[in-house]
Amino acid sequence: MTSLFLHGPLARLEGLSLVLGHPVAVGRARLAGFDARAPLPGHWPMLTEAAGAQTEGLDLRNPAEVDLARLDWLAACFGQRRGPLPDGREAFLPLTPPSAPGVPQPSGHEEVVTEALRDLMADYQRLDLPLSTVRWDMMLRRAASRLRAQGHEGAKLRREATGGDITLRDRRVVYANYFSVEEYDFRHSRFDGGTSPEINRAAFISSDAATVLPYDPKRDLVLVVEQIRSGPLARGAENPWLLEPIAGRVDPFETPEDCARREAGEEAGLTLDRLIEAARYYPSPGAKAEFLYSYIALCDLPDDLPRLGGLASEAEDIRAHLLPFEELMALIDTPEFASGPLILSALWLAAKRDGLRRAA
């Protein structure tokens, strides 16, 4: 009798059923003498021997060959394979011992990890293995973004979409690293009541991001940041340095508001107080899945703020500029302002500025 001890995301019935492609009956189990830790929150935990430790999981008894094949493939994605345990069971063990102790997996991450598993198993046997840490991190970000996108958004002028309006025949990942490119073959309902022919479209996949424009209503100052950007560089811009709001990608297990506050500290040394949401939007919906949350932050902007910032681990080189509001607006119609989120945030601030200054 084969008994396979499953830990981490596979110890959740929802995650295991998703990986196997069918519901499964399993029993709760424990593994003594082993600890399960991951390099980062949400990443795949590795079993390592540890005196006195105990890991909770599931026992899968006599799995079918087709189920073992799917589980083996998933384990290989994260540099693991089936191996024997001292008690006679099997488990997925790391091919190489972890170089660092790792972190215990906190609760509250299960929904995002399960959603990322859904993406991963959709590409069963089609990915180069093992996955890089960067690639899985981006899949977690994408999963969190998709969860935020779910729910009824409402439609007053545009079409009210229903479940049968889009028929997706195939989805293919044609490029994958930190970002990815996906192709879709689909049909959709037409405005004239008919159905479209099959359409092939590609989309650049990133994740949700947050931007924040700090504003000091008492001094009537704003802070913008400057850094080199690969988009203008790839377009062939003579000057690829851009003025922008503070911005960053929302981490898998944080809110857009948390992201705005974190990035303000990393890029400009700012601790933000009140955030006001200016807009939620797709900056380029014809080709990109990116979705932005843009904020205005009311704060004090002293003259002695650090002017250089960014994380060395991300090769960031960022310079901050303090500008009087009138100078900010004077730059909107010049080549200095080529960032859509900065233009949007500046115009929103222009419309609300008088009220914000009276309330300060």
Side-chain angles (χ1 to χ4, degrees):
M1 176 183 290
T2 301
S3 182
L4 181 61
F5 177 79
L6 301 173
H7 68 285
L10 294 178
R12 295 184 70 223
L13 282 177
E14 183 182 2
L16 180 57
S17 298
L18 191 156
V19 170
L20 298 182
H22 60 80
V24 62
V26 290
R28 300 300 309 178
R30 292 176 178 173
L31 177 61
F34 282 80
D35 197 7
R37 290 175 176 258
L40 295 167
H43 285 240
W44 211 265
M46 297 183 181
L47 285 175
T48 55
E49 292 191 64
Q54 184 168 266
T55 297
E56 301 289 330
L58 300 175
D59 266 344
L60 180 62
R61 297 180 183 274
N62 293 325
E65 287 299 320
V66 65
D67 290 345
L68 279 177
R70 292 175 71 88
L71 290 167
D72 285 343
W73 180 85
L74 179 67
C77 286
F78 299 98
Q80 301 186 32
R81 68 180 175 190
R82 269 185 295 144
L85 294 172
D87 60 11
R89 290 180 292 178
E90 290 186 330
F92 291 112
L93 303 171
L95 291 173
T96 57
S99 57
V103 297
Q105 296 303 283
S107 60
H109 294 176
E110 295 85 1
E111 188 179 17
V112 171
V113 174
T114 299
E115 190 67 21
L117 268 181
R118 193 181 311 279
D119 265 356
L120 187 53
M121 295 311 298
D123 291 310
Y124 176 50
Q125 294 183 326
R126 297 198 291 186
L127 296 179
D128 294 329
L129 304 182
L131 289 180
S132 67
T133 299
V134 168
R135 177 68 183 135
W136 178 243
D137 188 65
M138 199 60 199
M139 293 180 79
L140 290 170
R141 292 171 188 263
R142 194 265 180 91
S145 298
R146 185 163 55 239
L147 290 171
R148 279 190 291 269
Q150 293 173 3
H152 185 70
E153 296 178 344
K156 295 181 180 179
L157 179 62
R158 61 179 176 155
R159 182 189 192 98
E160 183 74 61
T162 63
D165 280 336
I166 299 174
T167 302
L168 180 63
R169 185 180 65 80
D170 194 22
R171 162 193 164 273
R172 299 174 299 279
V173 178
V174 296
Y175 167 81
N177 194 354
Y178 183 74
F179 298 117
S180 62
V181 176
E182 296 182 359
E183 282 192 356
Y184 297 83
D185 297 326
F186 67 98
R187 290 184 171 89
H188 67 85
S189 299
R190 290 172 50 88
F191 293 124
D192 62 11
T195 301
S196 74
E198 186 168 288
I199 298 170
N200 172 266
R201 292 288 185 270
F204 183 87
I205 309 297
S206 53
S207 64
D208 291 355
T211 76
V212 58
L213 183 66
Y215 175 60
D216 185 335
K218 295 179 181 178
R219 302 182 67 199
D220 205 22
L221 293 177
V222 295
L223 182 144
V224 299
V225 295
E226 177 188 2
Q227 60 185 311
I228 192 169
R229 286 304 203 182
S230 59
L233 183 67
R235 181 174 177 258
E238 203 170 279
N239 186 350
W241 275 264
L242 284 190
L243 296 172
E244 301 175 305
I246 292 166
R249 307 229 156 264
V250 183
D251 283 347
F253 310 113
E254 70 178 353
T255 66
E257 293 88 347
D258 290 339
C259 172
R261 297 181 189 280
R262 173 177 55 77
E263 291 288 347
E266 292 174 2
E267 295 189 1
L270 277 176
T271 300
L272 299 184
D273 185 11
R274 183 185 172 195
L275 288 178
I276 304 172
E277 186 176 291
R280 303 180 179 192
Y281 56 101
Y282 294 95
S284 186
K288 297 178 181 176
E290 183 179 57
F291 189 81
L292 297 187
Y293 296 80
S294 286
Y295 300 95
I296 304 295
L298 301 185
C299 55
D300 295 326
L301 292 174
D303 290 328
D304 61 353
L305 276 171
R307 296 306 176 96
L308 300 179
L311 294 181
S313 60
E314 297 180 8
E316 290 180 329
D317 179 41
I318 296 173
R319 178 168 64 169
H321 299 268
L322 282 179
L323 300 175
F325 174 80
E326 295 297 344
E327 184 177 347
L328 176 85
M329 298 309 296
L331 290 171
I332 276 191
D333 294 327
T334 74
E336 291 282 88
F337 268 30
S339 163
L342 182 54
I343 295 171
L344 180 150
S345 298
L347 292 175
W348 187 96
L349 180 57
K352 307 290 184 179
R353 170 175 167 250
D354 290 345
L356 294 175
R357 299 205 74 193
R358 283 194 297 271

